[in-house]
Amino acid sequence: DGGITQSPKYLFRKEGQNVTLSCEQNLNHDAMYWYRQDPGQGLRLIYYSQIVNDFQKGDIAEGYSVSREKKESFPLTVTSAQKNPTAFYLCASSITDRETQYFGPGTRLLVL
Amino acid sequence: KNQVEQSPQSLIILEGKNCTLQCNYTVSPFSNLRWYKQDTGRGPVSLTIMTFSENTKSNGRYTATLDADTKQSSLHITASQLSDSASYICVVSMKTGGGADGLTFGKGTHLIIQP
């Protein structure tokens, strides 16, 4: 069953805590992306990776970090430096960075 | 500044009726335009993709049009169904050397189909 998965579906963060959102794909896609979606706003790019062991900052990278040690995996860490982390986080992948992106089901992050 | 404007912001129609969603953009140089459907609490799903030379493309009851001269696109939904209730997002890609920073997302049109 091919696709892109994200976990958990809901995540709660305490003040000052780092949390990591998981994103896995078995589509053999080279490119992977993280977006943030806020109510009434368009998707905003946090980080993207065109190939293993390489990634670039998007428009709103401050307070976030990523790694791309494996082709299938692109985890996103929301650090304590991100002062307004409550949002819906979407991971996507594509064959290359010029092709249509396939999105995961999303993770909703809430701050306690 | 590259921008994608979608209208209306929200729309309510009765089941079985047709509707048209609009997307105007200022992205340049233009590469392609995509329409996505996003169900509440889910990730977006691609409906259509159009390049500069294409002015219409269909996917079932969804038909997208593109006028690259006026930088406008529309998504027409025929014989709407309850399952069409979702947000529809227009995404315009800019010709770049590569990288996801060439994409500009619209804020979406929230469509509600009433029985």
Side-chain angles (χ1 to χ4, degrees), chain A residues 2-9 21-27 29 31-37 43 72 74 88-94 100-108, chain B residues 36-46 89 105:
Chain A
I4 180 166
T5 59
Q6 292 184 241
S7 62
K9 188 174 177 68
L21 284 61
S22 169
C23 178
E24 304 278 333
Q25 54 97 1
N26 61 4
L27 301 168
H29 287 173
M32 296 187 74
Y33 318 80
W34 275 105
Y35 293 93
R36 170 179 172 143
Q37 188 174 37
L43 273 67
E72 304 79 23
F74 191 40
F88 189 50
Y89 290 87
L90 287 161
C91 179
S93 70
S94 59
T100 296
Q101 295 180 11
Y102 293 83
F103 286 83
T107 292
R108 189 166 298 280
Chain B
Y36 283 89
K37 177 187 179 187
Q38 184 178 21
D39 292 318
T40 301
R42 308 289 295 274
V45 175
S46 179
I89 302 171
F105 287 78

Side-chain angles (χ1 to χ4, degrees), chain A residues 7-73:
Chain A
S7 62
K9 188 174 177 68
Y10 296 96
L11 186 58
F12 299 92
R13 192 191 94 164
K14 295 180 181 178
E15 293 288 340
Q17 186 180 44
N18 293 353
V19 292
T20 297
L21 284 61
S22 169
C23 178
E24 304 278 333
Q25 54 97 1
N26 61 4
L27 301 168
N28 201 32
H29 287 173
D30 282 323
M32 296 187 74
Y33 318 80
W34 275 105
Y35 293 93
R36 170 179 172 143
Q37 188 174 37
D38 295 282
Q41 299 292 321
L43 273 67
R44 291 184 290 168
L45 181 66
I46 303 173
Y47 268 98
Y48 66 98
S49 168
Q50 295 170 285
I51 200 166
V52 175
N53 292 321
D54 185 51
F55 49 83
Q56 288 80 40
K57 293 181 179 180
D59 300 322
I60 55 166
E62 185 175 351
Y64 300 96
S65 66
V66 294
S67 63
R68 186 86 188 276
E69 298 177 2
K70 298 187 299 181
K71 188 175 186 178
E72 304 79 23
S73 179

Side-chain angles (χ1 to χ4, degrees), chain B residues 2-69:
Chain B
N2 291 322
Q3 287 187 316
V4 174
E5 300 287 341
Q6 292 187 243
S7 62
Q9 191 172 20
S10 59
L11 180 63
I12 301 173
I13 64 171
L14 293 175
E15 185 179 9
K17 297 296 185 182
N18 303 337
C19 67
T20 300
L21 314 180
Q22 298 291 341
C23 173
N24 297 341
Y25 61 92
T26 60
V27 176
S28 182
F30 175 84
S31 177
N32 59 63
L33 185 147
R34 298 178 172 96
W35 282 94
Y36 283 89
K37 177 187 179 187
Q38 184 178 21
D39 292 318
T40 301
R42 308 289 295 274
V45 175
S46 179
L47 292 174
T48 64
I49 176 172
M50 289 185 291
T51 59
F52 185 88
S53 59
E54 298 173 300
N55 55 26
T56 186
K57 184 166 281 189
S58 292
N59 178 0
R61 294 179 296 101
Y62 300 101
T63 300
T65 64
L66 173 65
D67 185 334
D69 291 331

